[in-house]
Amino acid sequence: MTTAERAGQAVMDSVETYLADITAAIRPLPPRKLALADALGAVLTDDVTAQWPLPAFDNSAMDGYAVRAADVAGATEQAPVVLPVSGEIAAGDTNRHDLVPLTSLRIMTGAPLPLGADAVVPVELTDGGGSQVAIRAPVEAGASVRLTGGDAQPGDLLLPAGTRLGAVHLGLLAAAGHGTVQARPQPRVTVISTGNELVEPGTQLVPGQIWESNATMLAAAAREAGCYARRHPIVPDKTDAVLAAVEDALDDADLLITSGGVSMGGEHDVVKAALATLGTVTFRKVAMQPGMPQGFGTVGPAGTPIFTLPGNPVSAYVSFVLFVMPALDALQDFSGERVPAAHAVLTQPVRSPAGKRSFLRGIMDISAGQVTPVSGQASHQLASLARANALVIVPEQVTSLDAGVTVDVMSLP
Ligand code: AMP
Ligand code: MG
């Protein structure tokens, strides 16, 4: 028994211990063949290599005239080279074209370079003529030509396994001719808020009620983190209702988040009560502020991870950033960095409870390298959180910091 246990205090887990237990319990989603339209945010399980050269054929980089560079070598402003124009090639023209020496072919951007041509004279360097063209400057062989394979050769690595697909990656896959991709899909997240006091925003309140905000915020945070996310209708403080909501959500979610009902309030802590009979959820105290009461485990036949986040909105959000986001990454077996660690100089003194790591809400000025804690650090103060763009981290053993000290900060998404 430790001194704390003998003294009757619950032992708290460190942030790291708790996070390690979470990520160890998560099995990555199975990879699937995804259409590109469904693959934004998915994480590649295999390297993607080029099957064909990119571009697949020599083509024009400009609107102009396809020529042999040697034929226009003597062109000047004063003495243009005049060549007959023997035809026109537009983008999408799949016919074979041959360039007869000492002639030209009108050519558009993206059109295949005719056989026998080795350069394109941009229309700006000509008189733009239709049956014949006056060329006012020479061009080098290869000018304004995009060569076959100039962007990628067959077998080149286009995207390594582990890439989380963004817009440009999807564009590249499409350009390289891939209609589908093998990847772990975006996790599907359902957020369930519990509380008898909660009513839908936009409706009338009576004293004692509040507008529900956590499910809206956390579902949006999950979407910002690259998930499909939905908000379950508000659940009252009844064990049966919580169980029914969890069972219902299990059908189409890869990860569940509940909010509220996990503090020390006994019978009102219905999430605790409901999940005691279902799955492997354990409720723990984590040595942090905000967000000390945490719960995590798996439920349902597929072992779906579930987070029971505290109801205070700032606690819920900070918990999401610290624990749920890494869990979402683990579901996709994604090891890239989300929030680069940074340092900044405190502009004001701060206090922090002994034995807990504080995540104070702050406004970071990146160019000045400074961070200013916002006024209103209580865990219900969502307006203060909304003014912040960073969390200032104060270590467990530190109870106060003076202005001017350098601190660790995490940028908020
Ligand atoms: P609980 O964790 O259920 O004890 O709730 C702690 C505090 O957070 C209480 O002030 C609740 O009213 C508030 N709270 C709980 N759930 C929500 C929610 N979904 N939206 C906004 N505030 C909430
Ligand atoms: Mg509650």
Side-chain angles (χ1 to χ4, degrees), residues 52-81:
W52 298 277
L54 196 67
F57 53 92
D58 293 351
N59 68 92
S60 179
M62 303 286 272
D63 291 343
Y65 296 85
V67 298
R68 295 194 319 172
D71 292 347
V72 300
T76 64
E77 195 73 45
Q78 289 72 30
V81 169

Tab-separated table of all heavy atoms in Angstrom, residues 52-81:
chain	number	residue	atom	x	y	z
A	52	TRP	N	1.824	3.401	-64.394
A	52	TRP	CA	2.064	3.946	-65.727
A	52	TRP	C	2.911	5.201	-65.559
A	52	TRP	O	2.946	5.787	-64.486
A	52	TRP	CB	0.724	4.327	-66.392
A	52	TRP	CG	-0.161	3.142	-66.570
A	52	TRP	CD1	-0.103	2.238	-67.592
A	52	TRP	CD2	-1.211	2.708	-65.700
A	52	TRP	NE1	-1.067	1.265	-67.407
A	52	TRP	CE2	-1.754	1.523	-66.267
A	52	TRP	CE3	-1.742	3.190	-64.507
A	52	TRP	CZ2	-2.796	0.826	-65.671
A	52	TRP	CZ3	-2.789	2.504	-63.915
A	52	TRP	CH2	-3.303	1.333	-64.496
A	53	PRO	N	3.580	5.610	-66.676
A	53	PRO	CA	4.300	6.884	-66.556
A	53	PRO	C	3.317	8.034	-66.387
A	53	PRO	O	2.185	7.968	-66.846
A	53	PRO	CB	5.051	6.995	-67.889
A	53	PRO	CG	4.399	6.020	-68.809
A	53	PRO	CD	3.712	4.980	-67.987
A	54	LEU	N	3.764	9.042	-65.715
A	54	LEU	CA	2.940	10.232	-65.473
A	54	LEU	C	3.771	11.433	-65.905
A	54	LEU	O	4.827	11.651	-65.311
A	54	LEU	CB	2.612	10.287	-63.973
A	54	LEU	CG	1.491	11.187	-63.487
A	54	LEU	CD1	0.164	10.663	-64.016
A	54	LEU	CD2	1.466	11.214	-61.967
A	55	PRO	N	3.404	12.193	-66.913
A	55	PRO	CA	2.332	11.977	-67.881
A	55	PRO	C	2.556	10.703	-68.703
A	55	PRO	O	3.692	10.236	-68.835
A	55	PRO	CB	2.408	13.191	-68.804
A	55	PRO	CG	3.348	14.154	-68.180
A	55	PRO	CD	4.185	13.402	-67.214
A	56	ALA	N	1.461	10.221	-69.276
A	56	ALA	CA	1.509	8.954	-70.014
A	56	ALA	C	1.978	9.136	-71.455
A	56	ALA	O	2.297	8.158	-72.120
A	56	ALA	CB	0.126	8.309	-69.986
A	57	PHE	N	2.016	10.375	-71.943
A	57	PHE	CA	2.495	10.630	-73.309
A	57	PHE	C	3.094	12.034	-73.352
A	57	PHE	O	2.751	12.889	-72.524
A	57	PHE	CB	1.358	10.491	-74.339
A	57	PHE	CG	0.143	11.326	-74.016
A	57	PHE	CD1	0.014	12.622	-74.527
A	57	PHE	CD2	-0.874	10.838	-73.197
A	57	PHE	CE1	-1.097	13.408	-74.220
A	57	PHE	CE2	-1.988	11.631	-72.887
A	57	PHE	CZ	-2.106	12.911	-73.402
A	58	ASP	N	4.004	12.247	-74.325
A	58	ASP	CA	4.574	13.593	-74.496
A	58	ASP	C	3.438	14.539	-74.895
A	58	ASP	O	2.658	14.219	-75.806
A	58	ASP	CB	5.613	13.597	-75.626
A	58	ASP	CG	6.852	12.776	-75.296
A	58	ASP	OD1	6.991	12.332	-74.138
A	58	ASP	OD2	7.667	12.560	-76.222
A	59	ASN	N	3.354	15.675	-74.232
A	59	ASN	CA	2.262	16.599	-74.580
A	59	ASN	C	2.690	18.032	-74.380
A	59	ASN	O	3.738	18.321	-73.778
A	59	ASN	CB	0.985	16.235	-73.817
A	59	ASN	CG	1.107	16.478	-72.330
A	59	ASN	OD1	0.765	17.544	-71.827
A	59	ASN	ND2	1.630	15.488	-71.593
A	60	SER	N	1.860	18.932	-74.890
A	60	SER	CA	2.221	20.350	-74.888
A	60	SER	C	1.907	20.995	-73.547
A	60	SER	O	0.845	20.767	-72.978
A	60	SER	CB	1.463	21.091	-75.988
A	60	SER	OG	1.823	22.460	-75.937
A	61	ALA	N	2.835	21.834	-73.071
A	61	ALA	CA	2.624	22.575	-71.833
A	61	ALA	C	1.979	23.931	-72.091
A	61	ALA	O	1.647	24.645	-71.136
A	61	ALA	CB	3.966	22.767	-71.125
A	62	MET	N	1.814	24.300	-73.374
A	62	MET	CA	1.321	25.647	-73.710
A	62	MET	C	0.360	25.549	-74.889
A	62	MET	O	0.409	24.590	-75.666
A	62	MET	CB	2.485	26.557	-74.162
A	62	MET	CG	3.612	26.719	-73.163
A	62	MET	SD	3.165	27.768	-71.788
A	62	MET	CE	3.624	29.361	-72.458
A	63	ASP	N	-0.453	26.575	-75.049
A	63	ASP	CA	-1.147	26.761	-76.325
A	63	ASP	C	-0.132	27.402	-77.274
A	63	ASP	O	0.522	28.388	-76.907
A	63	ASP	CB	-2.340	27.704	-76.155
A	63	ASP	CG	-3.461	27.068	-75.332
A	63	ASP	OD1	-3.463	25.823	-75.178
A	63	ASP	OD2	-4.325	27.826	-74.847
A	64	GLY	N	0.006	26.850	-78.483
A	64	GLY	CA	1.012	27.404	-79.401
A	64	GLY	C	1.102	26.591	-80.671
A	64	GLY	O	0.081	26.119	-81.189
A	65	TYR	N	2.357	26.406	-81.123
A	65	TYR	CA	2.599	25.704	-82.388
A	65	TYR	C	3.680	24.656	-82.166
A	65	TYR	O	4.764	24.985	-81.658
A	65	TYR	CB	3.035	26.688	-83.478
A	65	TYR	CG	1.935	27.691	-83.789
A	65	TYR	CD1	1.794	28.842	-83.022
A	65	TYR	CD2	1.026	27.457	-84.825
A	65	TYR	CE1	0.768	29.747	-83.260
A	65	TYR	CE2	-0.012	28.356	-85.081
A	65	TYR	CZ	-0.128	29.501	-84.286
A	65	TYR	OH	-1.146	30.386	-84.525
A	66	ALA	N	3.351	23.404	-82.553
A	66	ALA	CA	4.352	22.335	-82.483
A	66	ALA	C	5.273	22.476	-83.690
A	66	ALA	O	4.794	22.650	-84.821
A	66	ALA	CB	3.664	20.975	-82.492
A	67	VAL	N	6.593	22.428	-83.418
A	67	VAL	CA	7.587	22.637	-84.488
A	67	VAL	C	8.788	21.728	-84.248
A	67	VAL	O	8.877	21.063	-83.210
A	67	VAL	CB	8.094	24.112	-84.503
A	67	VAL	CG1	6.957	25.085	-84.780
A	67	VAL	CG2	8.800	24.453	-83.172
A	68	ARG	N	9.717	21.746	-85.225
A	68	ARG	CA	11.065	21.256	-84.961
A	68	ARG	C	11.878	22.482	-84.558
A	68	ARG	O	11.909	23.483	-85.307
A	68	ARG	CB	11.660	20.640	-86.227
A	68	ARG	CG	10.935	19.391	-86.690
A	68	ARG	CD	11.736	18.639	-87.729
A	68	ARG	NE	12.364	19.562	-88.692
A	68	ARG	CZ	13.235	19.184	-89.614
A	68	ARG	NH1	13.581	17.895	-89.724
A	68	ARG	NH2	13.758	20.061	-90.457
A	69	ALA	N	12.560	22.413	-83.411
A	69	ALA	CA	13.309	23.578	-82.922
A	69	ALA	C	14.291	24.071	-83.979
A	69	ALA	O	14.483	25.290	-84.145
A	69	ALA	CB	14.047	23.212	-81.626
A	70	ALA	N	14.876	23.137	-84.730
A	70	ALA	CA	15.872	23.523	-85.735
A	70	ALA	C	15.265	24.436	-86.804
A	70	ALA	O	15.950	25.308	-87.348
A	70	ALA	CB	16.461	22.261	-86.387
A	71	ASP	N	13.957	24.239	-87.083
A	71	ASP	CA	13.315	25.025	-88.146
A	71	ASP	C	13.121	26.498	-87.765
A	71	ASP	O	12.896	27.331	-88.635
A	71	ASP	CB	11.947	24.422	-88.510
A	71	ASP	CG	12.084	23.056	-89.198
A	71	ASP	OD1	13.226	22.709	-89.598
A	71	ASP	OD2	11.060	22.361	-89.309
A	72	VAL	N	13.125	26.796	-86.451
A	72	VAL	CA	12.860	28.177	-86.030
A	72	VAL	C	14.089	28.799	-85.364
A	72	VAL	O	13.997	29.860	-84.752
A	72	VAL	CB	11.633	28.254	-85.090
A	72	VAL	CG1	10.391	27.733	-85.802
A	72	VAL	CG2	11.864	27.472	-83.789
A	73	ALA	N	15.253	28.148	-85.525
A	73	ALA	CA	16.466	28.603	-84.823
A	73	ALA	C	16.828	30.033	-85.190
A	73	ALA	O	17.363	30.768	-84.355
A	73	ALA	CB	17.628	27.660	-85.136
A	74	GLY	N	16.505	30.458	-86.418
A	74	GLY	CA	16.921	31.800	-86.841
A	74	GLY	C	15.876	32.873	-86.621
A	74	GLY	O	16.068	34.017	-87.061
A	75	ALA	N	14.765	32.547	-85.942
A	75	ALA	CA	13.664	33.514	-85.823
A	75	ALA	C	14.058	34.691	-84.948
A	75	ALA	O	14.671	34.514	-83.893
A	75	ALA	CB	12.437	32.818	-85.246
A	76	THR	N	13.712	35.913	-85.401
A	76	THR	CA	13.898	37.119	-84.568
A	76	THR	C	12.660	37.983	-84.725
A	76	THR	O	11.821	37.752	-85.596
A	76	THR	CB	15.125	37.940	-85.031
A	76	THR	OG1	14.869	38.409	-86.365
A	76	THR	CG2	16.410	37.130	-84.993
A	77	GLU	N	12.616	39.000	-83.874
A	77	GLU	CA	11.507	39.973	-83.915
A	77	GLU	C	11.464	40.633	-85.309
A	77	GLU	O	10.382	40.769	-85.893
A	77	GLU	CB	11.770	41.016	-82.816
A	77	GLU	CG	10.601	41.896	-82.450
A	77	GLU	CD	9.536	41.154	-81.656
A	77	GLU	OE1	9.879	40.405	-80.708
A	77	GLU	OE2	8.354	41.328	-82.009
A	78	GLN	N	12.668	41.029	-85.793
A	78	GLN	CA	12.734	41.741	-87.074
A	78	GLN	C	12.518	40.805	-88.260
A	78	GLN	O	11.933	41.194	-89.266
A	78	GLN	CB	14.103	42.429	-87.257
A	78	GLN	CG	14.329	43.643	-86.353
A	78	GLN	CD	14.557	43.256	-84.895
A	78	GLN	OE1	15.079	42.167	-84.601
A	78	GLN	NE2	14.126	44.120	-83.973
A	79	ALA	N	13.015	39.565	-88.106
A	79	ALA	CA	12.914	38.624	-89.234
A	79	ALA	C	12.295	37.319	-88.755
A	79	ALA	O	12.985	36.319	-88.519
A	79	ALA	CB	14.312	38.359	-89.812
A	80	PRO	N	10.955	37.312	-88.578
A	80	PRO	CA	10.295	36.097	-88.104
A	80	PRO	C	10.434	34.972	-89.111
A	80	PRO	O	10.565	35.226	-90.311
A	80	PRO	CB	8.830	36.507	-87.958
A	80	PRO	CG	8.811	37.997	-88.020
A	80	PRO	CD	9.994	38.402	-88.834
A	81	VAL	N	10.397	33.726	-88.583
A	81	VAL	CA	10.324	32.550	-89.458
A	81	VAL	C	8.840	32.283	-89.715
A	81	VAL	O	8.059	32.202	-88.766
A	81	VAL	CB	11.002	31.331	-88.808
A	81	VAL	CG1	10.696	30.050	-89.582
A	81	VAL	CG2	12.499	31.551	-88.696
